[in-house]
Amino acid sequence: MPMKNPPPPGELIRTEIIEASGLTVSTAAQVLKVRRATLSDLLNGNAALSGDMALRLEKAFGVDVDHLLRMQVAYDAAQSRRHKDIDVKRYVPA
């Protein structure tokens, strides 16, 4: 059963990877070879997790890229379901 309001992946990445490793955002950005602002946007929920970033996290910290990307998809789906203004009816073939 899908979660109705899953957290954004950046939240897990911040707490379970970056903070658990004792790293600052700046140091983690250096490890991942990305700009600090790019990582900060992800960790603060202002940017989605890309495939590229997920792969960097897998290579640097051993977290499974597929798991991370499934988290992003679940988050995106939950956010999409919150849009009540999409008025599309089920297609029924004639």
Side-chain angles (χ1 to χ4, degrees), residues 32-93:
L32 296 168
K33 297 186 178 181
V34 297
R35 291 183 25 225
R36 184 196 182 287
T38 301
L39 182 58
S40 181
D41 284 346
L42 172 64
L43 301 180
N44 291 316
N46 298 322
L49 175 67
S50 67
D52 179 75
M53 182 65 82
L55 183 58
R56 289 170 186 271
L57 289 160
E58 180 181 73
K59 288 183 173 202
F61 300 105
V63 61
D64 184 52
V65 67
D66 297 315
H67 177 72
L68 290 173
L69 292 175
R70 280 192 299 273
M71 287 179 60
Q72 184 64 54
V73 169
Y75 177 76
D76 290 345
Q79 296 305 305
S80 294
R81 286 189 178 102
R82 296 175 66 183
H83 292 284
K84 304 295 184 195
D85 59 335
I86 297 174
D87 186 26
V88 176
K89 304 290 186 226
R90 177 72 144 182
Y91 171 72
V92 179

